[in-house]
Each structure stands twice: as C-alpha cells, then as structure tokens.
C-alpha cells in the first residue's frame, strides 16, 4: 500500500501546522489501537451488520456504525486495476491513482497534503490487478473535511504535467530497484509465464518500457473511462450514523455523473500443459524458487475447502507440511510457503522458497512430493481440526482496525459474497471435510504441469527441469 502524504511537502509546513498535525495524528493512532477490541467485540456479538444502499448515480454505499470511538474511515473501491491497462501502457492504473492527489481544480497537491496533515488524517491509495482503492481516515470532528478531500481528488483530478514527470521518474526508479531483488524478479517472471497472453501477466506498476510511454492524455483517458460512480463501492466505517453518511455522500458525491462502463472481456488464463522453466542467472549464494500454476477465482465455490487444504500444505507456517518437510526434516530452507491468490479472475497458485544453490533440485522435488502427497491421501483428522480451529479463531484478527473492516467490507461487496459473510465464515470453514480437502487438492493442484522460475547461480544449481538430466540454461 502506498501512503500518499507521508513526508510530502514537509519542508513547506508551518511550525504550528506540524505540531497540530502531530497531536491529531497521535490521538488518531491511540484511538485506532483501541478500535481493535471494538471490531472484535462486534464480530463476536454478530453485530457487523452494515447498511447497503445504492445512490441514484449508481454508487454503492456500505455504512457500518462504530460509535464507540471518534474515528471515521471512508474507503472508495473503484473497479479498475492493472487488468484494465492496455498491454503497451502497463502501469497506467497505478500511475493514475498515484496522481489523484497531485492537484485538482480547486486545490494544489501541496494544499491537499497540508489539509490532511493538519488534522492528523491519512489519505492512501492502492492498486491491484482488479481494483483501485482510495481512502481517508480522520477523527470524527474532521469528517466533513475528509469527505471534501476524498471527493475532490476522486471527482476532479487535473494530473498536472510537471507532477506527472516527477511521479513517472519515481516509478521508473522503483522498477529499476526491483531488479536487485531476486524475489521480485522471480515473481514477475512467474506471473508473466503463468498468465501468458492474459492481463495478469504484466506487473501492476508496469515496466521500464511501458511506463515511459504513458502520457497525461493516457491518464485523463483512463480516468474518464474507468472512474465512474456506478463502478465504485464507497464504504464508511466509524463514528457516523447512516443518515449522516447519506447526507455527506449526497452532498459530496451526488454530482458524480453516471455513465456506461467500459466492457472488458478477457479469456480465462490458459492452463499450463507441460513444465515451463525459466532460469535467471545471478551471482547469489541462494536460489529463489517459485513453482505453481493457474489457481482459482475468489468466487469459486471450492474457495473455503481450498483455504483449509492450502493451510495444511504450505500456508500454515510451522504447522504446514511444506515447512515440516523442507525446513524441519531436510534443512533446505529457512522458510517456505504456498498461496492461492484468488482474484476476480483465476489467480495463481504458487510455492516459494529460498535455498542453497546446490540444494535447489532437492528442494524442488520436495515441493512436488508434498503436492503429490496431499492429492493422493486424505489429510489426518488432527490436521483438519487444527486447521479449521486456527482459521475460525484467527478470523476476527483480520478486522483489527476500522481500516481493516472497511477494506474487508468493500471486498465482500466486490466479490458478491453477501453481507452474511461475517457471521457465516466460521460455518463455511467448519463444514469442510477430509473428503473435500482431497477432492480440491486433486482438482486444483498439479505437481506435473507447472511453471518453475529460479533466480540464482545456475552453474551451482544445475537445475533438472524434467527431473532427469541437468540443464544449463533457460529452455
């Protein structure tokens, strides 16, 4: 997540402004830590029951009153992310979002920064493959200002040319620095191969070539097509009533004009048919390894059974089979884990680890062995019950703050999970059986058709892509 205003324009603030902002920020931080117990108590009491409304312009509004603490979080989710980038302009959605606060018709970027800083608030943006989020958090007494700033940057950004040049240079610098991180290098190569020909194949922040091509006209065009009220979920959580929220939304977002959204049709990612290997030679003492294939979407009916299965396989930290085999019994890696990235469209299943170059083949075969094992025999009753107990027990911890609650609420709406999600999640996890785990492992894991990316010293790793003969480079 990118914090838009951390340190921005600091040299231009007055002493009084800095002190006022610091005091307000400390007060907000203290209240945020108290909000954890409030959110947990509400969840345990079954009181996370937001009100859902749709404004005349199509804006979806979710309001959850949490009046125990004087904090208000306003979280806008726009259904446009890097998947909507033209291939030749990858990174466009990310650049649009990062430029929202750089100036509007009525405020300069400096004024926006100073106004939110003065009250100790926070204004943040984030971009994923599927959506963009823009949020503001303020003390309840500053709710009017929070709405005004959020509406201003969402409805009236101007994308100043001079700020675009500066921000583009920053993004290009970030991309260059990522080339020094073997984990990021491996992950980008992995997604490029797994999603070949699909929008999930390009990085959210783009590439050196694509970001360099993006112009102010590109930003304006993307914004005009994708930033629409009928493509936005506005979630409000905190010390505010539903009636107050409705009034503020009508006042600040009522003029946002509804238009027909752009239709985006993508073919599903193609399944991997044969082992696909990319070896990237870098003079490193350890190899970074990523192995996996296309996974599932968040709306897949098997999602909860997959969550249980994947926790047992590799997402459960020291409780997982991958950790027990690769770290504890074989001493091949300090850490190893598996993940299903469930998006609006099928995301990736992957296992990632770092190991000594000369141990790379052994580690890869150990990963494939554990994937085979969970497909061939049912997990034990103890594994199942301990996993379900953990997933159910840790669920409230995902709602630590008003920001967490707002984020989860917006995603529940995005994926169409239903507002009963908060009360039904334990039942959905609790209903998973050993037979369910075996079935989804066989259906959604494949130890023989995969993408393998390794970044390391290849003359030491001597990778065997097919498990037989050594290979000297990328096939």
């Amino acid at each position: 997540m990118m914090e838009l205003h951390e340190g921005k324009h600091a040299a231009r603030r007055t002493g009084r402004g800095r002190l006022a902002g610091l005091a307000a920020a400390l007060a907000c931080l203290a209240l945020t830590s108290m909000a954890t117990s409030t959110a947990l108590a509400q969840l345990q009491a079954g009181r996370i029951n937001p009100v859902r409304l749709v404004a005349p312009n199509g804006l979806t509004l979710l309001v959850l009153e949490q009046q125990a603490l004087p904090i208000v979080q306003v979280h806008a989710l726009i259904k446009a992310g890097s998947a909507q980038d033209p291939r030749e302009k990858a990174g466009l959605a990310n650049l649009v979002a990062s430029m929202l606060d750089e100036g509007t018709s009525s405020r300069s970027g400096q004024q926006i920064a100073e106004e939110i800083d003065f009250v100790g608030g926070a204004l943040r943006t984030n971009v994923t493959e599927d959506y963009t989020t823009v949020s503001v958090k303020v003390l309840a007494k500053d709710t009017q200002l929070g709405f005004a700033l959020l509406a201003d940057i969402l409805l009236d950004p101007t994308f100043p040319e001079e700020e675009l040049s500066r921000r583009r240079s920053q993004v290009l610098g970030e991309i260059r620095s990522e080339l020094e991180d073997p984990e990021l290098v491996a992950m980008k190569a992995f997604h490029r191969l797994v999603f070949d020909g699909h929008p999930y194949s390009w990085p959210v922040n783009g590439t050196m070539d694509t970001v360099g091509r993006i112009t102010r006209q590109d930003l304006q065009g993307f914004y005009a097509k994708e930033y629409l009220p009928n493509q936005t979920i506005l979630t409000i959580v905190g010390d505010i009533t539903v009636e107050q929220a409705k009034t503020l939304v009508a006042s600040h977002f009522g003029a946002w004009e509804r238009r027909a959204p752009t239709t985006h049709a993508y073919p599903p990612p193609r399944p991997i048919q044969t082992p696909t290997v990319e070896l990237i030679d870098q003079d490193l003492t350890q190899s970074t390894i990523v192995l996996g294939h296309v996974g599932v979407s968040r709306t897949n009916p098997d999602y909860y059974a997959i969550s249980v299965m994947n926790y047992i396989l590799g997402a459960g930290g020291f409780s997982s089979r991958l950790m027990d085999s690769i770290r504890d019994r074989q001493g091949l890696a300090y850490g190893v884990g598996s993940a299903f990235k469930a998006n609006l469209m099928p995301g990736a299943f992957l296992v990632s680890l770092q190991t000594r170059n000369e141990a790379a083949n052994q580690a890869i075969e150990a990963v494939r062995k554990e994937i085979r094992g969970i497909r061939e025999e049912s997990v034990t009753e103890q594994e199942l019950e301990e996993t379900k107990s953990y997933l159910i027990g840790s669920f409230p911890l995902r709602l630590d703050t008003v920001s967490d609650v707002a984020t989860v609420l917006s995603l529940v709406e995005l994926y169409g999970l239903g507002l009963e999600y908060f009360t039904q999640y334990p039942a959905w996890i609790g209903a998973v059986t050993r037979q369910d785990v075996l079935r989804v492992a066989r259906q959604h894991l494949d130890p023989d058709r995969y993408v393998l990316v390794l970044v390391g010293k290849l003359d030491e790793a001597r990778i065997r892509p097919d498990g037989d003969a050594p290979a000297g480079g990328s096939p």
Side-chain angles (χ1 to χ4, degrees):
M1 181 174 290
M2 191 188 323
E3 295 206 12
L4 293 178
H5 297 291
E6 186 173 338
K8 181 184 282 188
H9 307 302
R12 286 176 279 186
R13 298 180 195 156
T14 65
R16 181 189 305 176
R18 287 196 297 270
L19 290 175
L22 178 60
L26 290 173
C28 196
L29 179 62
L31 291 169
T32 297
S33 65
M34 293 168 59
T36 300
S37 58
T38 302
L40 298 183
Q42 281 198 323
L43 180 62
Q44 290 161 355
R47 293 202 306 271
I48 294 191
N49 297 311
V51 173
R52 182 184 186 276
L53 303 165
V54 179
N57 60 2
L59 179 72
T60 299
L61 177 62
L62 300 172
V63 184
L64 179 64
E65 298 182 16
Q66 286 190 339
Q67 297 176 340
L69 298 171
I71 297 175
V72 174
Q73 174 85 24
V74 189
H75 183 87
L77 184 152
I78 301 96
K79 299 175 185 177
S82 62
Q84 281 70 55
D85 290 343
R87 179 188 292 271
E88 70 280 4
K89 300 288 179 75
L92 177 57
N94 180 64
L95 203 51
V96 169
S98 72
M99 286 288 296
L100 291 174
D101 75 320
E102 295 293 353
T104 68
S105 297
S106 58
R107 290 178 174 89
S108 67
Q110 179 180 345
Q111 288 173 319
I112 294 168
E114 289 178 346
E115 287 189 57
I116 193 67
D117 286 350
F118 188 80
V119 299
L123 185 60
R124 299 186 177 94
T125 187
N126 185 49
V127 179
T128 74
E129 295 91 343
D130 294 325
Y131 58 85
T132 296
T133 60
V134 186
S135 64
V136 63
K137 181 168 65 177
V138 291
L139 296 173
K141 67 182 181 64
D142 301 310
T143 299
Q144 183 73 242
L145 174 65
F147 269 87
L149 289 175
L150 185 65
D152 198 21
I153 67 173
L154 276 178
L155 275 64
D156 193 27
T158 54
F159 306 112
E161 187 70 60
E162 64 276 13
E163 296 294 345
L164 171 59
S165 178
R166 178 185 59 80
R167 183 59 190 143
R168 188 195 294 112
S169 295
Q170 289 178 348
V171 173
L172 290 172
E174 293 166 4
I175 295 172
R176 275 191 295 269
S177 69
E178 290 173 353
L179 297 175
E180 304 300 318
D181 186 329
E183 293 183 66
L184 287 175
V185 170
M187 283 295 182
K188 287 190 174 186
F190 174 80
H191 283 89
R192 173 172 48 79
L193 294 170
V194 169
F195 297 106
D196 183 31
H198 188 275
Y200 287 173
S201 65
W202 49 76
V204 171
N205 62 348
T207 69
M208 295 294 293
D209 288 339
T210 61
V211 172
R213 298 191 190 110
I214 295 173
T215 67
R216 180 170 182 261
Q217 289 69 36
D218 294 324
L219 270 65
Q220 292 171 320
F222 186 95
Y223 169 83
K225 289 190 301 182
E226 305 293 350
Y227 279 61
L228 307 174
N230 43 313
Q231 288 288 92
T232 300
I233 301 164
L234 191 68
T235 304
I236 306 166
V237 179
D239 187 9
I240 188 170
T241 67
V242 173
E243 288 305 313
Q244 288 171 332
K246 288 168 61 178
T247 299
L248 286 165
V249 169
S251 172
H252 292 284
F253 294 93
W256 199 0
E257 184 180 349
R258 177 178 190 148
R259 296 195 303 277
T262 303
T263 300
H264 299 283
Y266 309 109
R270 294 192 296 268
I272 304 300
Q273 298 299 326
T274 59
T276 302
V277 181
E278 181 161 321
L279 308 178
I280 301 172
D281 195 17
Q282 291 191 4
D283 188 13
L284 302 167
T285 58
Q286 285 196 317
S287 290
T288 296
I289 297 167
V290 184
L291 183 149
H293 48 67
V294 177
V296 298
S297 69
R298 180 57 182 86
T299 57
N300 191 298
D302 286 335
Y303 178 80
Y304 300 101
I306 290 171
S307 296
V308 173
M309 179 271 292
N310 185 52
Y311 185 90
I312 295 170
L313 174 64
F318 289 101
S319 301
S320 73
R321 290 184 175 188
L322 284 171
M323 190 74 86
D324 176 64
S325 170
I326 292 174
R327 174 192 163 110
D328 296 344
R329 288 192 278 115
Q330 300 182 64
L332 297 176
Y334 179 78
V336 57
S338 64
F340 276 86
K341 188 171 183 181
N343 297 339
L344 281 172
M345 296 175 280
F349 161 73
L350 62 91
V351 177
S352 61
L353 62 97
Q354 288 183 318
T355 189
R356 304 183 312 277
N357 289 318
E358 60 272 17
N361 281 306
Q362 184 182 349
I364 292 166
E365 184 48 41
V367 168
R368 296 175 63 200
K369 180 180 179 181
E370 292 304 324
I371 294 174
R372 289 191 194 98
I374 204 167
R375 284 167 44 94
E376 292 170 356
E377 294 184 12
S378 295
V379 299
T380 67
E381 192 65 37
Q382 180 178 354
E383 284 178 311
L384 180 69
E385 292 307 315
E386 288 180 353
T387 295
K388 293 198 294 186
S389 177
Y390 173 82
L391 292 176
I392 293 169
S394 64
F395 178 62
L397 301 179
R398 303 178 201 174
L399 306 171
D400 278 354
T401 66
V402 290
S403 301
D404 292 336
V405 175
T407 298
V408 173
L409 271 174
S410 65
L411 293 178
V412 166
E413 175 68 21
L414 175 69
Y415 297 127
L417 304 180
L419 295 181
E420 69 275 13
Y421 171 83
F422 297 95
T423 55
Q424 291 303 306
Y425 177 86
W428 293 333
I429 292 294
V432 175
T433 67
R434 294 170 64 198
Q435 292 72 30
D436 291 329
V437 171
L438 184 62
R439 175 180 59 80
V440 298
R442 288 174 172 173
Q443 185 174 346
H444 299 292
L445 295 177
D446 195 328
D448 300 316
R449 291 180 288 189
Y450 56 83
V451 164
L452 168 66
V453 174
L454 180 142
V455 180
K457 200 167 185 178
L458 299 186
D459 61 354
E460 293 180 2
R462 294 183 60 79
I463 294 303
R464 300 188 300 271
D466 57 4
D468 294 322
S474 300

